[in-house]
Amino acid sequence: MIFEPDLETMPRERLEELQLERLRAFAPVDSLGELHTVPFTRKDELRDAYPLGRVAVPREQLRRISASSGTTGKPTVVAYTDHDLDVFARVVARALAAAGAEPGMTLHNAYGYGLFTGGLGFHDGGERLGMAVVPVSGGMTERQLTLIQDLRPDVIACTPSYALTLAQALAERGVSPEEISLKVAMLGAEPWTEGMRGQIDARLGVRAVNVYGLSEIIGPGVAGECAEERAGLHVNEDHFLPEIVDPESGEPVADGELGVLVLTTLTKEALPLVRYWTGDISSLDRSPCSCGRTFVRMSPPAGRTDDMLIIRGVNVYPSQVESILLDLPELTPNYRIVVERTGTLDTALVEIETAQPSDGLRERAERLLLETIGCSIAVRLASPETLPRSEGGKLRRVEDKRS
């Protein structure tokens, strides 16, 4: 199902005309190709304008104020007008429909409500599509399980790490994947891998799809995977103009090459942003998609520039470690990376739970990391149920012990 087919299947030539028309309203450019000459907007600029210094409309026109989940200091505050909330609901409805959701289905919404944009964003988008929404929010896993078993929802929205937590808890209740009513899992807010997708598919009996967003741009719904291919997330380009740039030089890179995702809002009223440096590592694919959507696809974020670890001179992303280790069937997606400083060098230890211990498993895991990444990373095998689990929010994968 395509929620807004006239817009989501628009010919590229017409789409680019629309993008330029909207871009000219607030950026001094005569063509889309000139956009790269405009300076980036950085997150620090939003923090420096705390709380509402970047808002572009009178205060009385605001209808919602949210904030990003910053780990240090003050959060990044974002705001919405009536128009912004309408766009928000529509792009989330698009993502739900692309993933396989339909009017009349029930959405189990396990994203957090409150200042975080995820819960309310999926709530409004689900209702806009015509779904019944269960606003369960995050955490309280036993309540989640009861509602899933009793209300029998068709779609779940949560973080991928929490989807695994729920899958394990349902298995412990003796519920098999065939008995679970869920058909689609809408997962985002943290990097995850194809290996994790395979486990979620199998253990929940769903088709797990990526959804992408960030509070500064609008929230979830900036982009979403289609159920047909699950090979990149269609960016809602009539509202958000994407670029990929080199993380060092800031210059544009070719389609297919990894770099930093930069987004420009084309229809945002309360907080318009030009060339916002997201910090997420991705690439763009403009090849045709079998679903019929003409919007460009972005690859699932491989990590963030500020999540990148430098181990003995080699750049390492946590999701890269996960992807490599899940090639070993004896290992599970439950892991953490402990970073310490020995002398002048940083060292990393991966603690990962085993599903089926075997001789030489640790040595094979360490060799696979060395051969793939190019640096030595120690591995410690942990017993099942010994590492932290997600309780609904983002799971912290890296424990940094450097001082």
Side-chain angles (χ1 to χ4, degrees):
M1 173 187 175
I2 299 181
F3 181 65
E4 295 183 310
D6 291 346
L7 296 170
E8 295 178 71
T9 63
M10 189 185 305
R12 290 295 310 180
E13 182 178 354
R14 171 64 189 123
L15 175 60
E16 291 176 4
E17 290 174 356
L18 178 63
Q19 289 173 329
L20 181 57
E21 176 187 329
R22 291 177 168 175
L23 184 61
R24 280 175 170 164
F26 52 86
V29 297
D30 293 319
S31 68
L32 295 179
E34 290 181 20
L35 183 58
H36 77 277
T37 65
V38 179
F40 297 113
T41 303
R42 306 275 185 165
K43 191 162 189 171
D44 285 346
E45 296 176 51
L46 302 185
R47 290 199 181 106
D48 292 343
Y50 178 90
L52 296 171
R54 289 289 298 248
V55 168
V57 299
R59 180 71 177 260
E60 57 268 21
Q61 292 183 21
L62 300 183
R63 296 295 177 268
R64 184 182 299 170
I65 297 174
S66 295
S68 65
S69 53
T71 55
T72 60
K74 293 179 179 178
T76 301
V77 176
V78 296
Y80 304 80
T81 63
D82 281 328
H83 167 79
D84 295 336
L85 292 176
D86 176 66
V87 170
F88 197 3
R90 286 165 53 200
V91 295
V92 174
R94 288 180 184 181
L96 283 162
E102 298 177 0
M105 286 184 171
T106 298
L107 169 63
H108 182 96
N109 188 8
Y111 280 118
Y113 283 67
L115 286 175
F116 175 58
T117 58
L120 288 170
F122 263 99
H123 188 115
D124 291 349
E127 290 184 343
R128 181 65 62 92
L129 182 59
M131 305 178 76
V133 180
V134 183
V136 63
S137 195
M140 299 185 68
T141 298
E142 282 301 313
R143 181 179 66 177
Q144 305 263 2
L145 302 180
T146 298
L147 290 171
I148 290 171
Q149 290 186 272
D150 292 351
L151 296 180
R152 301 192 61 77
D154 307 276
V155 181
I156 185 170
C158 63
T159 63
S161 56
Y162 195 53
L164 281 176
T165 295
L166 293 172
Q168 180 175 329
L170 284 165
E172 290 170 354
R173 281 193 174 194
V175 181
S176 69
E178 295 75 22
E179 296 174 289
I180 300 171
S181 63
L182 296 169
K183 302 176 182 67
V184 177
M186 299 284 294
L187 308 179
E190 61 188 19
W192 53 304
T193 62
E194 288 300 313
M196 185 181 281
R197 191 207 298 265
Q199 295 217 15
I200 293 168
D201 281 357
R203 295 167 68 180
L204 283 179
V206 298
R207 280 179 66 80
V209 298
N210 264 293
V211 63
Y212 174 79
L214 62 166
S215 300
E216 299 91 320
I217 298 300
I218 202 162
V222 171
E225 276 185 322
C226 61
E228 287 84 352
E229 295 203 7
R230 295 200 295 179
L233 297 84
H234 290 280
V235 181
N236 285 303
E237 287 186 271
D238 53 337
H239 297 291
F240 318 110
L241 182 61
E243 305 171 72
I244 302 292
V245 302
D246 182 273
E248 299 296 330
S249 69
E251 290 299 310
V253 303
D255 286 353
E257 292 185 18
L258 286 174
V260 176
L261 175 66
V262 172
L263 291 167
T264 296
T265 62
L266 297 175
T267 58
K268 195 84 177 287
E269 289 184 341
L271 190 66
L273 293 175
V274 178
R275 305 200 77 205
Y276 182 73
W277 184 281
T278 70
D280 291 315
I281 304 298
S282 184
S283 64
L284 295 180
D285 178 3
R286 301 181 197 276
S287 63
C289 183
S290 62
C291 73
R293 292 171 178 83
T294 54
F295 292 156
V296 68
R297 283 175 286 177
M298 58 175 278
S299 64
R304 292 183 52 79
T305 51
D306 50 6
D307 287 341
M308 185 180 73
L309 305 172
I310 301 177
I311 306 300
R312 299 186 180 275
V314 177
N315 297 344
V316 179
Y317 292 99
S319 59
Q320 183 183 18
V321 172
E322 175 189 308
S323 179
I324 294 167
L325 292 182
L326 288 188
D327 282 341
L328 298 174
E330 302 98 324
L331 300 177
T332 77
N334 301 310
Y335 73 96
R336 69 179 171 190
I337 302 172
V338 181
V339 183
E340 296 183 282
R341 179 155 293 161
T342 304
T344 59
L345 293 176
D346 292 339
T347 61
L349 165 69
V350 181
E351 298 179 308
I352 187 165
E353 293 181 10
T354 57
Q356 187 180 355
S358 60
D359 291 341
L361 178 59
R362 179 180 62 80
E363 291 80 4
R364 282 188 287 133
E366 290 179 345
R367 184 170 62 251
L368 193 59
L369 288 170
L370 175 61
E371 292 173 350
T372 308
I373 294 177
C375 71
S376 297
I377 298 178
V379 173
R380 186 180 75 81
L381 303 179
S383 301
E385 309 295 320
T386 57
L387 295 180
R389 294 291 193 276
S390 171
E391 287 300 325
K394 298 180 184 181
L395 183 60
R396 185 180 176 187
R397 293 292 195 183
V398 177
E399 181 179 349
D400 194 340
K401 292 186 175 181
R402 295 171 295 185
S403 58

